[in-house]
Structures are given as C-alpha cells and as structure tokens.
Amino acid sequence: MHGEPRNKCRVFPFRSSLAAAFLIAIAPLHAAEVIPPMGAPVCNHVRFFPAPSREQNMVGGKICGSNVSATEGFHVIAEIKDKPREQEWTNFVFSNSKLYRWLRYEAPPGSHGSLGELEFYSGDRKLDGYRFGTIGDVEGRGWRYAFDGNPKTWVEMEEADGQYAGIDLFEQATARVPKFLPPPGGVQQPLMVDINELTPYATVRYTLDGTMPTATIGEVFKKPFKIEKTTTVTAAAFVEGWAPSPPLIGTYLIGDGVKPGLSTLHIGNTLTDITALFPLYVRTTGREHIYRTYTIPGAWTNQLWAEHTASRKREWGVDWEILQRIDHVTLQPRNFNIAEEAQGDQQFIDLVRTKTPEVQPWLYAEWVERERPRPSDKGLVPSSQMTKVFPALTWEESMGAMLLYVEDVQKAIVETDKGTKRVRVLPTNLAMGWIRNQIERGEFPGVKPTDFYPFLFRDTVHPGPNGAYLVDLTWYAAFYRESPEGKIPYLGTTLTPEQALAMQRLAWDVIQNYPDCGIYEEGNTAVGQPEFVPAARAIKEVTKIALTSSTPGAWFRYTLDGTTPTRTNGYVYCGVISVRPGMTVKAIAYKNGMADSEVADATYTPDRPTPPGPTPRRP
C-alpha cells in the first residue's frame, strides 16, 4: 500500500496553538500560510475491513479530501496499492498535513464499492461526522454498512464505477462559526449587530438579502452594522485553503409590523425531522414561528403513542410545555393496517385538542424509498376509491398510490372523529412526484435527467438540504395559505435562484390544487377535457402515456379499473401513467378557480399478432 504499516506509524506532531498565535502576532499570516491548529482533525490514518472474498476489489481505492463539498473538489491523499489481508482490519497510515472538511473513500472502478467497514483517523483519534455516500445499493447493502461497526456486513452497490463514502466534519475542520450579538429575535427599534467569536486569521463575510456568503461574495465584516427593518443576516468565516465555516443564519424581527406566526407540532420519524429548518424559513418572512417535533427514527404512529408516556415521556413533556397552543399538528402515516394507523393518529389528535380544541390536524403524505418496496407500490393496499388498484411501475405512480393510502387513513379517522376541524392531507409527496418528472424530462433548470437522487437526496429515502427545502415549501404553503414565491430564501442549500423559484412555484401549485388543503375554490369556466398522449390504440406491452389539457396548469385524477374519477377520487396524476394492454384509462381535469372538466376515457386494446395463414398444399 502507498503508506506505512501501522507498526511503523510515524507521528505527525501538530504545532502548538501558542506558537501559531505568536507567529500571527509578530508577522501576520497571509491566509494561505495558516496552519491547522493543535488538535485539528487532519486525516492521516484510515482503518478498514474488506468485504468477504473481495479483498482484491480494494486495490486502487483512494482516500480523498475536499474543502468544496461532498461531491466536488476532492484531492487524493493516499492510494491503496496492495491487496488487504483476508477478513482482517487494516491500518493504513499515510502522510498528510492539510485540513479537509470532507473525507471519503473512493472505490476503484469495477468494484461495486465492495467494503466491510471504514474508519477515518487523525493520528490515533477516530473522526466522525455526517456520513454520506453514493446511492443505489444491491438488496439494501448500501454505504451505511461501511459505518455500522459490524465487519460481517458489507457494501455492494448497483453501479460498478464511481462509488464513494465518507464523512463531513463540519465545524471540526473549519474556522469557528461566528456568533451574532445581540442574538436574532424580535425588537421594537433598529439596532446595531456585532459579529463575535471570530477565528483570528479568518475573514468573515455577511449578507442581508438571504443569499449565502462566499469567499468573494458578501460584505467583509469590520465593525457592527445597523439593521433598521426585519432582516435575515447570513454570515460565514473563510480561511484560504480551508473549507468555509457552516453558515450562521439569523432573522431580526423589528418593529410593530411583525406578522403573527403559528405554533406547530410534528409527530413522526426521520422524514419529519428533515424539516428542522422550517421555523428558520418562516422567520425570514417576518413571523415568529414556534415549532416542535416528537419523533423516533423509523417509528410508526402506534409506537410513538406507546412511547410518549414511557421512555420518551420527558421529551414529550418538554414539547408539551413549550407549546402554549398548537395551531397545526402533523402525523406521518406508514402503517398499512389502516385501522391501526387511524387509531394511533386519532389518539394524538384527541390529546392535542385538550390543549387547543381548534387545532388543525394534518396527515403528512410522505414519498417512498428508491426501491419502492411498500405494499402501496406493489398494489397490495385496496382503495375505497376504486374497485381495483395496480402495482406502481414508476416513481410518479408510487406517489399517487401512497396518497390513496393516506386518503383512506383520513377517511377512517373522519368517520368517527368529533373534532371541530376535520383532519386534512398534506400532499408533499405530490411535489416529489412532479419534480422527479420534471427532472427526467429535462424541464427542471440546471439538473441532468439522471440526477434526481444526487440533487435532492442524501440516501435512498432521506432528502438532503435541497429536497428538504421543497418539503418545507409545501408546509409553508399549506399552513400559511400563501405562495412561498419570493418569500422563502434558499438558505443552507446548493440551489440556484432559478431552481429555488421553480421549487417555490411547484409547492404552491401542489397545495392550491389539492382540494383537501382548503385553498381550492370551484369556478364557472370548465377546464379543458383530458387528452391522452399517445391516443387510444392497440398496444403489445406496458406503454407509458401522458395527460394534457387545453387549460394550462390543469391537474388530473385517473382510474384504470373502469371507476369514474373525480377531483377527489382516483390516482393523482404526476406526469406518467403505465398502461397495460386491454386497459381503459378514465381521467378528469381540474384546476383551482375553475369548474371540473368532463370525464374522458381511452382504451388501449391488446395488439395481438395476426395468426399465420394455412400452409400451402404441395402439388
């Protein structure tokens, strides 16, 4: 291997922080000369365990570092030259004195990522941070297995090339995140804002327009500055050659014109946790939003109910005390025994009503995993809206199938619920369905048709910052009943202004055109009747079709079993329908502010081969 055996490990002593401070004092450093301070997590040692019988697949693997992002700007620190020992840990020590925020192992071409365990070290100190990796595993053997501490599990990815996994050290490997003084909050008068707790050799830049500062964009902080109106301040610290610090974001709400905010409680699992930035986004609109979550990773509502008075009693109690009132509560259905799910949801709704009788309950309709393994994906969950359902053959159809399930949970609750506000459905998964379709058709700005997951997700189900931003936009539109366009800055994401705008418009389109969100109004002018592309014809195999209308922005519901759809019954269309030979598709078009179209239908008859004629008789 290119490195040194563990038993010959050289010690790479850090220069002391005292010596560094002395040098700065007597001869101010240029940014490029700044050295990592004492104890900085400079990676010079990796420990790994090969996948069984795949030791050779690690030869050519690289240890790399970046100060740009988890996907760009990587430099090779060391390369594995020798075949690791079979089913043994290998300590791979190498020379490196550069501080990197993002560290990753890049698997050799053709290896499918084959790896058992992976650990990064600085000397003998194990490093840890936010873990990341490529998406697309075989039978669940994704990159999480490289960090599960169990050498008996291993990574195996679908694609042979381009595989990697690593950790993000965040503030461990950057200049300190600066602090605002006074802290962001609500005040009556204009104020002076200071930025303190600065790294001595860092440049701090800040912006006041919701954009992210960079090493070249934003005002260089030199002295306190004045804020005269409600403003979101974003600051970050920069040292040449290092990664930028994580951004500090705060909104100062100034004066009597601050708009009232809501108080919301969100019950679910990690797909609820991804909305952690939601209250920050709302604050940027000039509202003081109070937000609390009660979650357990992977939990169903029934488990959450059982735990709220048991092992999670204290956590629940803290949330309950902080929330003086609860304007909206969300629950996250995923138990496909609809009666059990409805019971768990109802228990939480009734409990919340003891604090706020007028609370608005929501069922948060989530998306599905990349592999689409749920009963709704496989057509195993009957729907009260149709006599027959079918397996979902595309991501977009999976969103419609999942929504049918959530609507049936809603129906089960409504049948017995005695509350003053009827439980509603929050159709975030429709936004996920449509953005997938836009990306694949090349209609979403700046994203390649193959980059849906890299652009929006950090693994096969959990969105990264970009995907979470889209979720937050749908929540904002539903709770505050207004478009987020031009109101919610895309803080903490990698979005361009054009991409953020496209997401804002998509979120509002979804919420205002899903009748159950309470914004939809029926008008007098009818929407143009659905048209089928391609039109009805004979087909030999499953054929993907699209729906269009002469009315721009029309939405559609459709059925495949002969049931007549309405704007509240049937699959919600997300850009594609998989039609089998012999199927009749019925569809209705609708749009907020207009009357529903007439139902249209198209039958795709089986295209049977012409039987051969009689064999000519020999003369």
Side-chain angles (χ1 to χ4, degrees), residues 56-346:
Q56 185 64 38
N57 286 357
M58 293 194 69
V59 176
K62 297 179 176 65
I63 311 302
C64 301
S66 171
N67 283 322
V68 178
S69 73
T71 58
E72 297 177 320
F74 278 89
H75 300 278
V76 177
I77 304 173
E79 181 176 351
I80 300 171
K81 297 288 189 179
D82 303 324
K83 178 182 176 182
R85 292 184 294 272
E86 294 183 8
Q87 295 301 282
E88 290 185 22
W89 283 97
T90 295
N91 282 287
F92 182 32
V93 180
F94 43 87
S95 176
N96 173 48
S97 59
K98 185 172 176 58
L99 181 63
Y100 290 106
R101 174 176 165 178
W102 289 274
L103 301 167
R104 76 183 190 186
Y105 165 73
E106 296 183 358
S111 69
H112 293 272
S114 302
L115 181 65
E117 290 295 312
L118 177 64
E119 298 174 350
F120 295 92
Y121 287 80
S122 179
D124 291 327
R125 175 164 61 102
K126 184 178 178 182
L127 305 176
D128 202 3
Y130 178 84
R131 297 160 186 175
F132 62 88
T134 43
I135 296 172
D137 53 73
V138 176
E139 297 179 352
R141 293 196 289 271
W143 281 111
R144 68 184 183 279
Y145 278 174
F147 302 107
D148 67 355
N150 182 5
K152 294 182 180 179
T153 62
W154 68 91
V155 176
E156 187 172 1
M157 307 297 288
E158 288 179 355
E159 297 294 330
D161 302 340
Q163 300 298 331
Y164 61 82
I167 57 174
D168 178 357
L169 297 176
F170 282 95
E171 195 180 0
Q172 299 176 71
T174 70
R176 289 194 299 269
V177 178
K179 299 293 186 291
F180 293 139
L181 187 68
V187 296
Q188 287 297 313
Q189 303 295 329
L191 78 162
M192 299 298 291
V193 175
D194 196 2
I195 302 178
N196 58 12
E197 296 192 22
L198 308 180
T199 301
Y201 35 78
T203 298
V204 173
R205 289 183 179 267
Y206 67 93
T207 62
L208 304 178
D209 60 358
T211 59
M212 296 297 293
T214 70
T216 58
I217 296 175
E219 289 290 325
V220 175
F221 175 74
K222 296 180 179 178
K223 62 182 181 179
F225 51 91
K226 192 172 186 179
I227 297 293
E228 296 184 328
K229 61 180 181 179
T230 294
T231 302
T232 297
V233 186
T234 308
F238 302 89
V239 174
E240 187 176 335
W242 294 12
S245 75
L248 175 66
I249 304 167
T251 299
Y252 291 88
L253 306 174
I254 298 178
D256 296 325
V258 176
K259 294 174 282 188
L262 299 170
S263 179
T264 59
L265 173 63
H266 309 284
I267 299 167
N269 52 54
T270 49
L271 295 189
T272 289
D273 287 333
I274 59 114
T275 64
L277 288 181
F278 181 69
L280 172 64
Y281 287 136
V282 177
R283 282 180 62 87
T284 64
T285 71
R287 297 178 170 97
E288 187 68 78
H289 187 100
I290 301 173
Y291 158 102
R292 300 296 293 180
T293 61
Y294 171 66
T295 63
I296 298 175
W300 291 357
T301 312
N302 312 75
Q303 179 187 351
L304 287 158
W305 177 257
E307 294 292 336
H308 95 281
T309 56
S311 64
R312 296 297 184 102
K313 182 177 180 179
R314 184 178 180 278
E315 178 185 339
W316 175 263
V318 169
D319 292 337
W320 195 249
E321 288 300 319
I322 288 176
L323 295 168
Q324 298 301 310
R325 72 176 195 280
I326 303 173
D327 299 305
H328 296 262
V329 58
T330 63
L331 298 121
Q332 191 185 326
R334 60 165 46 182
N335 179 354
F336 287 92
N337 182 318
I338 290 173
E340 288 182 1
E341 178 64 48
Q343 180 186 35
D345 296 329
Q346 185 73 70

Side-chain angles (χ1 to χ4, degrees), residues 36-70:
M38 182 177 181
V42 175
C43 181
N44 51 23
H45 170 192
V46 170
R47 188 169 178 255
F48 57 81
F49 196 98
S53 303
R54 296 169 176 83
E55 292 79 10
Q56 185 64 38
N57 286 357
M58 293 194 69
V59 176
K62 297 179 176 65
I63 311 302
C64 301
S66 171
N67 283 322
V68 178
S69 73

Side-chain angles (χ1 to χ4, degrees), residues 288-602:
E288 187 68 78
H289 187 100
I290 301 173
Y291 158 102
R292 300 296 293 180
T293 61
Y294 171 66
T295 63
I296 298 175
W300 291 357
T301 312
N302 312 75
Q303 179 187 351
L304 287 158
W305 177 257
E307 294 292 336
H308 95 281
T309 56
S311 64
R312 296 297 184 102
K313 182 177 180 179
R314 184 178 180 278
E315 178 185 339
W316 175 263
V318 169
D319 292 337
W320 195 249
E321 288 300 319
I322 288 176
L323 295 168
Q324 298 301 310
R325 72 176 195 280
I326 303 173
D327 299 305
H328 296 262
V329 58
T330 63
L331 298 121
Q332 191 185 326
R334 60 165 46 182
N335 179 354
F336 287 92
N337 182 318
I338 290 173
E340 288 182 1
E341 178 64 48
Q343 180 186 35
D345 296 329
Q346 185 73 70
Q347 288 172 313
F348 272 117
I349 292 169
D350 289 343
L351 178 58
V352 171
R353 282 177 177 150
T354 65
K355 182 181 285 282
T356 309
E358 297 297 314
V359 66
Q360 175 60 66
W362 295 87
L363 301 180
Y364 167 33
E366 65 184 52
W367 49 98
V368 303
E369 296 79 1
R370 179 178 180 270
E371 297 77 13
R372 300 187 296 108
R374 303 191 184 192
S376 55
D377 300 311
K378 298 176 181 179
L380 302 178
V381 184
S383 170
S384 65
Q385 300 177 23
M386 295 174 285
T387 59
K388 185 179 180 181
V389 293
F390 297 85
L393 301 185
T394 64
W395 167 272
E396 294 92 329
E397 290 165 302
S398 283
M399 300 306 103
M402 188 67 185
L403 191 64
L404 285 180
Y405 152 72
V406 175
E407 289 175 341
D408 267 1
V409 174
Q410 176 196 36
K411 180 180 179 181
I413 295 172
V414 169
E415 286 176 351
T416 58
D417 186 37
K418 302 187 185 326
T420 56
K421 286 190 176 179
R422 174 178 173 273
V423 61
R424 296 187 184 278
V425 172
L426 183 53
T428 298
N429 63 343
L430 295 184
M432 286 293 189
W434 271 110
I435 196 170
R436 171 72 175 258
N437 192 261
Q438 290 174 358
I439 289 173
E440 289 187 340
R441 287 186 293 153
E443 296 178 357
F444 192 85
V447 182
K448 293 185 294 186
T450 56
D451 280 355
F452 171 70
Y453 269 95
F455 177 63
L456 292 173
F457 286 80
R458 62 180 173 86
D459 58 27
T460 58
V461 70
H462 295 96
N466 294 347
Y469 179 73
L470 178 59
V471 174
D472 287 329
L473 293 173
T474 64
W475 284 30
Y476 179 86
F479 299 159
Y480 285 96
R481 301 172 64 83
E482 66 181 29
S483 171
E485 184 175 341
K487 300 183 179 76
I488 309 294
Y490 43 100
L491 303 170
T493 72
T494 61
L495 300 172
T496 65
E498 295 76 17
Q499 291 167 345
L501 179 61
M503 285 190 179
Q504 293 163 6
R505 289 174 174 171
L506 173 58
W508 180 236
D509 193 32
V510 168
I511 298 303
Q512 69 169 329
N513 283 295
Y514 184 71
D516 196 58
C517 287
I519 298 172
Y520 193 93
E521 295 181 355
E522 187 172 6
N524 297 318
T525 303
V527 178
Q529 197 173 27
E531 300 175 11
F532 303 86
V533 182
R537 58 183 174 85
I539 57 176
K540 294 181 179 180
E541 56 189 3
V542 174
T543 301
K544 293 181 180 180
I545 70 167
L547 299 177
T548 65
S549 167
S550 59
T551 302
W555 280 70
F556 306 91
R557 285 247 193 179
Y558 68 94
T559 63
L560 303 174
D561 67 335
T563 302
T564 299
T566 70
R567 70 168 178 265
T568 57
N569 286 305
Y571 294 106
V572 175
Y573 173 74
C574 287
V576 64
I577 305 172
S578 298
V579 181
R580 289 77 160 170
M583 272 185 173
T584 295
V585 184
K586 292 188 175 183
I588 189 170
Y590 57 95
K591 186 179 180 181
N592 183 26
M594 302 184 71
D596 298 348
S597 76
E598 296 292 327
V599 174
D601 63 79

